[in-house]
Amino acid sequence: MRLRPRLQKVLSDLAGNRQRSLLVLASIAVGLFAIGVITTIYVVGPDDMRSGYAATNPPNIAVQALLFDRCAPEHIAQTPGVRQVEAVRYASTRLQTGPNDWAAIDLRTAKDLANLQIGTVTVVNGKWPPGEREIVIDQYKLPDTNAEVGDMIELETPSGKTKAVRLVGVIQDLGIGAFRGAGGFFNAPIQGFVTQETLEWLEQPQPKRYNTLLLTVQGDDQDEVYLESVAQQVREELERCNVQVISVATRSSTEHPNLFLSQAILAVLLVIGLLVAFLSGFLITNTLQAIMNQQVQQIGILKTVGARRYQVMGIYLLLSLLFGALAFVIAAPLAPQVAFPVIDFLTVQMNYIFYGPRLVPEAVIAQAVLAVLLPVSAALLPVWQGANISVQEALSGLSQRNPPNQGWLDRKLSGLRRRSLLLVVSLRNTFRRKGRLLLTLVTLTLGGAVFIATFSVRVSLLDYVNQIVQYFLADVNITLDRAYRIEEIEGLIRQVPGVKQVEGWMFARTEIVLADGSVGESVSLLAPPAASPLVKPILVAGRWLQPGDRNAIALSELFKDAFPDLEVGDTLRLRVEDKETDWVVVGFFQLAGKVSGYSAYTSYEYLSELLNQPGRAVAFRVVSQSPNLNNLEQEALGQAVEAHLSRNGIRVVDMTTGKHLLKTATDGFDVLTSFLLFLAILTALTGSIGLTGAMSLNVMERTREIGILRAIGASDKALMRIVLTEGALIGMMSWVLSSLAAFPISELMSDSISQSMFGGPANFGFSPIGYVLWLVAVSALAVVASVMPARNATRLTIREVLSYE
Amino acid sequence: MLIQTVQNSRNGRAIALPQPLPCPPGCSGEPLIRLRKVVKRYRTPAGDFPALKGIDLDVYPGEFVGIIGRSGAGKTTLVNVLTGVDHPSEGEVWIGDVPVHSLSENRLALWRGRTLGIIYQSFYLMPSISLLHNVMLPMDVCGLYRRGQSEQRAMELLRMVELEDHAHKLPSAISGGQQQRVAIARALANDPDLLVADEPTGRLDSGTAETIFEVFSRLIEQGKTILMVTHDLSLASRVRRVIRLVDGQIAEDSNGL
Ligand SMILES: Nc1ncnc2c1ncn2[C@@H]1O[C@H](COP(=O)(O)OP(=O)(O)OP(=O)(O)O)[C@@H](O)[C@H]1O
Ligand SMILES: [Mg+2]
């Protein structure tokens, strides 16, 4: 067969220089691997979130109302556009998690839990539905209860007693945070399911009545306007039967409550994915060019024995393809091994269901395309050049058409020889093939820039999260069963040892009143004293509250997202405890974006007056004498305060530490920062292997020169100096370029993150850590990548080195 | 004077050797090269191939030795083993009092740079630097000359091989014979006492070959020792001592052909 000896040549090329072949393979494979991982996460992540959420038949409309039993769901179901209706009762209480420890819990009940129609749940473990005096709890915050299936759980009754129910099952409810409250998924308390009978036993008032109506619509559930119109009719219908509607909210069937987070992750993935695709492309091109350069002589030989151009090209394209195919075989099965655990992590953190590892055609195709197309197109140019050079040029191993002694750079370098001829040799080597140098630099720069940017964004995001602590400066946050005189409570709390400062705060659950008079989203309105030192806001516009302000209000940035036209100085209408009141917006502050929902601050002085409770407060903020308490110490102080209040006949309905509030507020960011860390590691891996490969191949190309230098007396030290100079030079150049390129990349990444998280641009600063880390990595890798092949070369006898190809 | 003598740091320690061959006429004292039972086997897929089968050889300072033999006889192998470019499988190679067979690659490199000039059939010039720099390179690497001195010296060496006009060209821009002359100039850069050349004229026409031979003759007059592998019997007939290799063994060792 005519092809056989040529094919044999290709194979022996692969096997002949094992170290080099492995480097080429690793460089290509790591690029494919990164693309495979990113594509898999990009495809499977949102897919599972969307389909899993849609599979629960989520409500498109949620109506909150005062307890009602009129207006049967069957009646509302007649409203045009409504497909299904389910009446639900939510009750908030506390469950005991330790001797003096409590955690907030939302209890949900419906007439027939076994046949939930809307917002169905997935049974994770144990029994569903709960029977009498039994409870089933959602998995996400189950660890907060310190209970396992089979344990008894103490729930607090409205009168302050505790009653025990048995935890019989664990479910996953993908709808947490979709509607209730202003906090979204991460701020939602523990979710429990009980029957109406259990609710009655728990002494909740009127247990058979409902306070929430969940509805699905007929027709296009993706159409916001349509959903609004159906919701409006439902509200009118309810008001017609004298049900007092508190709020109405709509949501499409695919909009998982944490979709925004998923979008942030996808946006980052897209940026990084594209860059990594480029990176892999350059990596593959670079490596194959390195191979081609070493094959020039062989091409000459092939041509002297009569090989025609297409035959020469065929051989080397085949070689490139073979590398691509081998790399694909390595990378394709490896990528899911990493991608799926990451997806699993994300699904747990973001409360959706991972449907398990599967073949992801998009990822396989992306890898296959890169593995086949890229190597071939990357090899095409050098193969074409190689196939076209004359036999004489090829055999002498030098391209006569590009005599290297041309540019100003070379003349500059020659001038350097006063310092050391060896330095000139290494610099010449570096700049000899400018095309190759450029390719190597682009590869290394991309890898480094993506790493630096990812790391930088992550660190600045963490910095940002740490700033949020400024909203939770109190060590202990206490909520009482009703408003008490501040002086009285403050006096009592100050009797607890270790207490330095006490502030009485008001708060109110309010709803936005829209222009057409209808009620919109809930807003949690907090009212610290105007001069309170316990809140140090991150202002994005306007100012903070000042003593003497009347109906001034500062809004979280989420308002900007929902009402883009709302400006400082505008008036906002809120319904506060059934009264519609107008507020003047004095500023916008940044909290945790969509993670923390709609929240607003006004001054205690004004809100207490508005609620006819002057001098009284429901909420108290306690600061310890010793600064920087950890969560456990805060917990201990809180329990002491709670116990002391109880002894004096004052009922505490909630005690939460500042650290705990902070953690809840920033949980959503944790997912993101963990994920960014993962991406940073992934790009560092790709970049490092690319760097090592490119540099090692460079040095390997020098092997014959090392032999010559050896023959004329260069010592190990002198050789190492040459190789290291070159490695360090390339490393430093790429680092400088990476540092510059990292700016726009991290800008792009933090913009897309904040677009998803805050609905607008946010300013994340730069972090030097990424730059420093990459500098360290580049230096270390440059040394390793240069010294290893150089050491190999110095170990060989000169005869072996000189016959090296 | 053109070629300066550089003091080598030899300690002159006498080493007892088995039955030194008689010193030929014109030689002085101890042999410069001593090969004892040198065997070189190449590992090949078909098993070990013995390219040198027990070579004993003494070369004295000032000798001009020609090595001849059929292709495949082991000439290049002998030269490689002698210069430390390759290690012998068995036996000892001494140059002066240096045990070449037991030095590490690193020690070999330094020693070689200072005491030995090697000229290869395929030149092996550094392609990325000029001819002048190529000649300066050994001086730079071994540090025997100060910088200003080394450039001047390199220019003189290039003049000797009649290439000073091309000093700033790259190796790729000159002919093969010219490249070989640069390689000779480079081999002489550190003024070594011993010059080893593997078919230095193999690729050159007879006229050019003659020039190079003349350069060698002049070096012998200056007291250098030269070992030259050659196929050119007319050249071989003009050296003082000829060694003929057959199948890895010395078949003939005579004073002239
Ligand atoms: N690296 C090697 N591996 C295996 N065998 C080798 C190797 N190098 C040389 N040989 C064999 O050793 C023998 C001597 O080779 P050498 O190169 O010394 O011959 P030579 O006398 O220099 O020939 P020529 O005049 O053709 O240059 C030859 O038979 C050759 O095939
Ligand atoms: Mg030979």
Side-chain angles (χ1 to χ4, degrees):
Chain A
M1 220 178 102
R2 223 162 58 90
L3 238 174
R4 259 194 80 218
R6 275 189 275 154
L7 195 67
Q8 199 134 28
K9 184 201 170 309
V10 170
L11 288 174
S12 64
D13 272 349
L14 272 179
N17 190 333
R18 212 159 292 148
Q19 199 191 359
R20 190 186 59 197
S21 297
L22 282 179
L23 268 177
V24 173
L25 210 56
S27 300
I28 300 178
V30 77
L32 294 183
F33 167 76
I35 285 294
V37 171
I38 289 175
T39 317
T40 304
I41 298 176
Y42 193 86
V43 171
V44 172
D47 237 31
D48 282 10
M49 179 179 259
R50 216 175 295 123
S51 52
Y53 184 63
T56 67
N57 192 29
N60 302 120
I61 300 169
V63 182
Q64 285 187 67
L66 295 186
L67 290 182
F68 63 92
D69 55 2
R70 295 170 291 259
C71 226
E74 297 75 37
H75 171 68
I76 297 294
Q78 305 299 316
T79 315
V82 172
R83 190 158 56 92
Q84 289 164 294
V85 181
E86 185 146 314
V88 177
R89 168 70 176 273
Y90 280 100
S92 297
T93 179
R94 298 204 294 176
L95 74 79
Q96 195 159 19
T97 56
N100 293 302
D101 252 346
W102 298 86
I105 181 169
D106 274 359
L107 297 176
R108 173 174 163 189
T109 188
K111 205 170 189 173
D112 186 6
L113 283 177
N115 287 307
L116 277 184
Q117 296 299 308
I118 297 177
T120 58
V121 297
T122 312
V123 180
V124 174
N125 176 3
K127 156 184 167 191
W128 174 264
E132 227 172 299
R133 299 187 193 180
E134 290 177 344
I135 189 168
V136 170
I137 290 183
D138 176 79
Q139 60 163 20
Y140 185 74
K141 290 208 170 159
L142 181 68
D144 290 6
T145 66
N146 295 331
E148 287 170 20
V149 171
D151 290 355
M152 296 305 286
I153 287 180
E154 301 279 345
L155 291 175
E156 198 177 33
T157 65
S159 61
K161 288 185 289 186
T162 59
K163 287 197 162 180
V165 290
R166 186 176 299 279
L167 174 61
V168 292
V170 179
I171 50 93
Q172 184 173 14
D173 176 6
L174 303 191
I176 299 174
F179 293 107
R180 274 179 55 81
F185 171 74
F186 292 100
N187 290 324
I190 302 165
Q191 304 287 308
F193 290 78
V194 292
T195 61
Q196 289 179 325
E197 290 71 29
T198 311
L199 203 64
E200 179 162 22
W201 182 68
L202 289 170
E203 299 173 15
Q204 291 289 334
Q206 299 167 306
K208 298 261 158 68
R209 291 189 169 198
Y210 303 107
N211 54 8
T212 304
L213 215 52
L214 304 176
L215 304 99
T216 56
V217 298
Q218 282 165 340
D220 186 5
D221 63 28
Q222 306 288 323
D223 182 350
E224 275 302 319
V225 178
Y226 172 65
L227 290 182
E228 291 286 351
S229 74
V230 177
Q232 187 59 29
Q233 286 176 30
V234 168
R235 159 204 214 78
E236 281 162 15
E237 202 56 48
L238 281 167
E239 278 166 354
R240 216 163 285 144
C241 31
N242 276 330
V243 174
Q244 271 225 337
V245 175
I246 297 174
S247 73
V248 178
T250 60
R251 197 173 194 103
S252 86
S253 298
T254 49
E255 198 188 339
H256 185 282
N258 287 330
L259 187 68
F260 69 96
L261 250 185
S262 162
Q263 279 163 344
I265 284 174
L266 290 184
V268 173
L269 265 184
L270 191 67
V271 173
I272 292 189
L274 287 176
L275 288 171
V276 166
F278 273 111
L279 173 63
S280 318
F282 279 111
L283 209 58
I284 294 170
T285 313
N286 193 27
T287 351
L288 288 173
Q289 292 231 349
I291 287 216
M292 288 311 298
N293 283 331
Q294 297 177 335
Q295 296 287 330
V296 174
Q297 209 153 356
Q298 304 232 10
I299 291 178
I301 296 165
L302 279 171
K303 292 183 88 170
T304 51
V305 301
R308 272 150 294 166
R309 183 189 299 151
Y310 78 91
Q311 287 171 318
V312 172
M313 288 183 67
I315 290 171
Y316 288 101
L317 290 180
L318 193 61
L319 180 69
S320 313
L321 258 181
L322 214 54
F323 272 121
L326 267 176
F328 176 80
V329 168
I330 296 168
L334 224 53
Q337 302 290 326
V338 171
F340 286 121
V342 170
I343 295 172
D344 198 25
F345 166 80
L346 290 178
T347 54
V348 171
Q349 295 302 307
M350 287 157 57
N351 192 35
Y352 65 100
I353 295 169
F354 173 40
Y355 285 105
R358 69 200 89 144
L359 189 71
V360 183
E362 290 91 336
V364 177
I365 291 171
Q367 285 172 299
V369 165
L370 276 180
V372 173
L373 278 190
L374 252 172
V376 171
S377 49
L380 214 52
L381 183 69
V383 166
W384 175 258
Q385 285 173 345
N388 272 319
I389 65 174
S390 74
V391 174
Q392 192 268 327
E393 284 170 331
L395 287 179
S396 74
L398 291 158
S399 176
Q400 304 276 0
R401 271 171 299 181
N402 299 316
N405 200 14
Q406 294 287 322
W408 65 270
L409 194 60
D410 296 292
R411 286 195 294 274
K412 277 263 141 59
L413 290 178
S414 299
L416 272 177
R417 93 183 147 61
R418 306 242 164 267
R419 318 229 6 232
S420 159
L421 208 46
L422 281 180
L423 184 67
V424 177
V425 171
S426 49
L427 292 182
R428 269 298 171 75
N429 282 341
T430 311
F431 292 102
R432 185 154 55 143
R433 295 199 197 87
K434 296 191 184 60
R436 267 295 301 290
L437 176 67
L438 202 70
L439 214 54
T440 308
L441 276 180
V442 170
T443 313
L444 305 186
T445 300
L446 262 179
V450 176
F451 171 80
I452 294 175
T454 313
F455 208 87
S456 198
V457 168
R458 178 184 125 84
V459 171
S460 48
L461 206 59
L462 279 177
D463 281 352
Y464 179 76
V465 168
N466 287 333
Q467 274 184 60
I468 294 178
V469 75
Q470 304 291 353
Y471 294 93
F472 307 102
L473 289 172
D475 291 302
V476 174
N477 305 269
I478 290 210
T479 311
L480 304 178
D481 59 340
R482 59 179 176 82
Y484 288 83
R485 277 188 47 241
I486 292 179
E487 276 164 38
E488 177 195 354
I489 301 296
E490 187 176 340
L492 277 173
I493 295 178
R494 277 184 185 281
Q495 290 165 3
V496 177
V499 169
K500 178 178 154 199
Q501 188 191 351
V502 181
E503 264 184 23
W505 288 22
M506 281 306 259
F507 70 75
R509 271 283 291 282
T510 67
E511 289 83 33
I512 301 169
V513 180
L514 302 171
D516 63 358
S518 66
V519 182
E521 297 277 354
S522 311
V523 178
S524 58
L525 182 60
L526 273 168
S532 171
L534 297 185
V535 177
K536 299 208 177 78
I538 308 163
L539 281 173
V540 286
R543 62 168 176 86
W544 193 240
L545 304 158
Q546 290 169 353
D549 277 345
R550 295 286 299 162
N551 57 343
I553 195 169
L555 304 175
S556 67
E557 73 274 73
L558 204 54
F559 283 87
K560 268 283 186 201
D561 191 30
F563 310 100
D565 296 335
L566 197 61
E567 299 286 348
V568 171
D570 289 354
T571 302
L572 179 77
R573 180 162 291 186
L574 291 178
R575 193 165 73 182
V576 184
E577 314 256 306
D578 293 338
K579 274 184 283 186
E580 295 196 356
T581 38
D582 285 337
W583 300 79
V584 176
V585 180
V586 293
F588 289 91
F589 60 91
Q590 211 164 49
L591 194 53
K594 292 179 184 171
V595 173
S596 54
Y598 294 93
S599 63
Y601 283 83
T602 184
S603 65
Y604 165 80
E605 292 78 1
Y606 180 70
L607 189 63
S608 59
E609 193 185 303
L610 187 75
L611 298 178
N612 289 321
Q613 304 272 14
R616 291 165 172 268
V618 184
F620 287 84
R621 298 288 183 263
V622 183
V623 181
S624 154
Q625 278 167 349
S626 36
N628 304 324
L629 293 190
N630 65 31
N631 191 37
L632 277 178
E633 294 163 334
Q634 290 185 339
E635 193 82 46
L637 180 68
Q639 286 171 11
V641 170
E642 185 172 351
H644 188 64
L645 289 174
S646 298
R647 274 197 298 278
N648 289 279
I650 290 160
R651 214 165 85 67
V652 174
V653 292
D654 185 63
M655 188 282 290
T656 312
T657 63
K659 288 278 186 287
H660 190 265
L661 280 182
L662 176 66
K663 186 186 174 306
T664 327
T666 55
D667 256 356
F669 282 101
D670 286 355
V671 185
L672 213 53
T673 49
S674 314
F675 187 68
L676 283 172
L677 182 65
F678 162 75
L679 285 180
I681 292 171
L682 186 70
T683 49
L685 182 81
T686 318
S688 304
I689 293 191
L691 186 88
T692 314
M695 287 192 167
S696 299
L697 288 170
N698 267 346
V699 175
M700 285 182 186
E701 275 181 63
R702 299 288 126 75
T703 301
R704 186 187 289 253
E705 289 178 12
I706 289 176
I708 301 173
L709 286 169
R710 213 13 155 207
I712 58 170
S715 63
D716 282 356
K717 232 167 80 193
L719 291 179
M720 286 300 168
R721 209 178 313 133
I722 293 188
V723 166
L724 276 179
T725 307
E726 192 182 345
L729 199 67
I730 294 182
M732 284 311 111
M733 283 196 288
S734 84
W735 181 79
V736 170
L737 292 175
S738 298
S739 304
L740 295 177
F743 278 90
I745 295 177
S746 51
E747 188 105 337
L748 192 61
M749 271 168 47
S750 59
D751 268 3
S752 30
I753 288 178
S754 53
Q755 200 65 46
S756 311
M757 298 292 286
F758 299 100
N763 12 349
F764 299 127
F766 274 101
S767 131
I769 301 176
Y771 293 85
V772 174
L773 275 181
W774 191 243
L775 182 63
V776 172
V778 162
S779 316
L781 289 170
V783 170
V784 172
S786 318
V787 167
M788 292 251 286
R791 272 185 66 99
N792 284 342
T794 58
R795 279 209 207 93
L796 297 174
T797 63
I798 297 175
R799 179 182 63 77
E800 289 163 321
V801 174
L802 288 180
S803 61
Y804 176 97
E805 0 158 326
Chain B
M1 204 181 110
L2 172 64
I3 311 283
Q4 300 156 10
T5 317
V6 176
Q7 198 58 47
N8 278 320
S9 61
R10 301 209 177 130
N11 57 17
R13 191 160 47 97
I15 290 159
L17 284 168
Q19 29 167 298
L21 294 177
C23 184
C27 87
S28 49
E30 297 251 326
L32 177 61
I33 303 173
R34 279 162 299 187
L35 267 62
R36 290 294 174 267
K37 298 196 171 60
V38 169
V39 173
K40 176 67 191 179
R41 283 182 290 265
Y42 287 114
R43 263 170 220 297
T44 68
D48 281 4
F49 176 84
L52 297 178
K53 303 170 181 168
I55 302 279
D56 284 304
L57 176 67
D58 282 359
V59 176
Y60 290 84
E63 280 196 293
F64 191 170
V65 182
I67 299 174
I68 57 172
R70 286 236 188 105
S71 176
K75 305 181 294 294
T76 299
T77 309
L78 178 64
V79 163
N80 282 349
V81 165
L82 195 109
T83 51
V85 160
D86 205 353
H87 297 292
S89 313
E90 277 172 35
E92 297 184 350
V93 178
W94 293 82
I95 293 187
D97 55 0
V98 176
V100 175
H101 54 278
S102 64
L103 286 189
S104 71
E105 287 296 323
N106 188 38
R107 300 270 303 283
L108 266 177
L110 266 175
W111 163 80
R112 191 188 301 114
R114 294 178 182 210
T115 43
L116 209 66
I118 309 180
I119 300 154
Y120 295 95
Q121 189 174 1
S122 28
F123 326 138
Y124 290 137
L125 298 177
M126 289 293 267
S128 58
I129 53 178
S130 68
L131 305 184
L132 180 68
H133 285 175
N134 260 289
V135 178
M136 287 168 66
L137 204 52
M139 298 183 256
D140 194 60
V141 160
C142 297
L144 288 178
Y145 294 88
R146 274 182 285 112
R147 251 157 218 147
Q149 227 184 338
S150 70
E151 176 158 3
Q152 195 190 344
R153 181 175 162 76
M155 254 345 232
E156 281 168 10
L157 287 166
L158 281 175
R159 191 172 309 134
M160 183 187 82
V161 295
E162 294 165 5
L163 281 171
E164 78 259 52
D165 295 343
H166 303 275
H168 296 287
K169 286 188 178 172
L170 287 179
S172 55
I174 58 173
S175 76
Q178 290 169 325
Q179 288 188 44
Q180 189 60 293
R181 273 141 65 194
V182 176
I184 293 171
R186 185 180 67 182
L188 293 169
N190 280 329
D191 194 20
D193 291 334
L194 177 59
L195 217 63
V196 180
D198 190 357
E199 294 187 41
T201 58
R203 288 193 183 181
L204 310 177
D205 64 84
S206 58
T208 320
E210 184 60 33
T211 335
I212 283 173
F213 191 79
E214 275 163 19
V215 172
F216 281 2
S217 301
R218 246 183 297 148
L219 291 170
I220 289 291
E221 279 160 27
Q222 288 162 7
K224 306 274 173 202
T225 311
I226 298 178
L227 236 82
M228 179 178 73
V229 172
T230 183
H231 274 145
D232 190 337
L233 290 182
S234 70
L235 285 184
S237 66
R238 292 157 62 186
V239 303
R240 289 184 206 152
R241 181 177 172 194
V242 174
I243 290 169
R244 183 193 299 279
L245 279 186
V246 176
D247 281 349
Q249 284 172 315
I250 296 180
E252 191 186 333
D253 186 348
S254 62
N255 291 339
L257 282 177

